[in-house]
Amino acid sequence: MKPLHRRTDLRRRHALALALGAALSGMAGARQAGAVTAAGPGPDAGDTALQPWQPAQAPALQATDLATGQRRSLADFAGRPLLVNVWATWCGPCRVEMPGLNALAERLGPEGLQFVALNHGEMPERVQRFLAEVPVRGTVLLDRSQLLLKAWSGGLSLPATFLFDAQGRPRLWAQGERDWSHPDLVRAVRSALT
């Protein structure tokens, strides 16, 4: 038989573990409305689909260019198709898909595609540290307001990618990590280039 003080100690540890578990699950359940999370691959692992994007009103873009500090809008990218990826440094799936987005931008850039990596709400210094590890082959914009993701998709998960045609019309979008080298995705993006 265990001494009384050891049983009491074990009971306290067990109670503490239960309380900690309950507190953590309560925190997860009481997540603040509007909190953004990282999404893994789309609904099916290896998702190769882009969805039609038909927002109720024309999307607006007002964000700060990381390189110049100037405000940018969709009008700054008019005349050529535009792929906008919304991401954050803390988002694992964002980090994983960025090299694929870079490769897609390099592959389709000569055909007219522009690529914008739109950071969701982080400080410039943090974004620059991330870019030193994971470079972006496009324009990096900062949405410090954190309003664009919700306005464009109603969604609250990163990464999210949006495709505009050369006339600035919304065409396609995806929420969650994608393999941007997949032929179906390359074909879908290329469809907006014509």
Side-chain angles (χ1 to χ4, degrees):
M1 185 166 178
K2 294 181 183 175
L4 182 60
H5 70 280
R6 284 192 96 200
R7 282 188 293 188
T8 304
D9 190 42
L10 287 175
R11 285 186 190 142
R12 282 187 189 142
R13 286 183 188 181
H14 183 69
L16 182 59
L18 288 174
L20 181 59
L24 290 174
S25 67
M27 284 171 38
R31 202 180 274 176
Q32 194 176 29
V36 174
T37 62
D44 302 313
D47 197 346
T48 60
L50 295 178
Q51 303 301 319
W53 184 31
Q54 300 167 337
Q57 57 186 348
L61 169 66
Q62 289 295 322
T64 304
D65 190 310
L66 180 65
T68 67
Q70 295 183 5
R71 298 293 288 169
R72 303 288 297 270
S73 71
L74 284 177
D76 296 321
F77 301 96
R80 292 176 40 207
L82 176 64
L83 187 70
V84 178
N85 178 259
V86 185
W87 62 283
T89 63
W90 51 262
C91 168
C94 301
R95 178 181 289 265
V96 169
E97 83 168 352
M98 195 61 74
L101 286 162
N102 283 333
L104 180 69
E106 288 177 7
R107 180 177 181 176
L108 298 181
E111 298 176 40
L113 182 68
Q114 302 174 88
F115 173 46
V116 167
L118 178 65
N119 179 267
H120 183 75
E122 295 179 283
M123 297 296 290
E125 297 78 19
R126 178 183 296 251
V127 173
Q128 288 168 334
R129 282 193 305 271
F130 175 88
L131 295 174
E133 294 176 31
V134 183
V136 169
R137 308 275 188 266
T139 303
V140 178
L141 300 181
L142 306 174
D143 175 22
R144 296 280 297 131
S145 71
Q146 300 182 351
L147 296 175
L148 291 175
L149 178 62
K150 188 171 184 180
W152 284 15
S153 70
L156 298 172
S157 294
L158 297 175
T161 306
F162 304 88
L163 181 63
F164 295 85
D165 65 19
Q167 289 72 43
R169 295 181 301 233
R171 292 283 303 273
L172 301 168
W173 81 292
Q175 192 157 32
E177 177 190 338
R178 296 290 190 276
D179 174 4
W180 293 99
S181 67
H182 193 282
D184 291 346
L185 288 173
V186 173
R187 239 185 327 276
V189 173
R190 189 173 266 138
S191 73
L193 302 180
T194 56

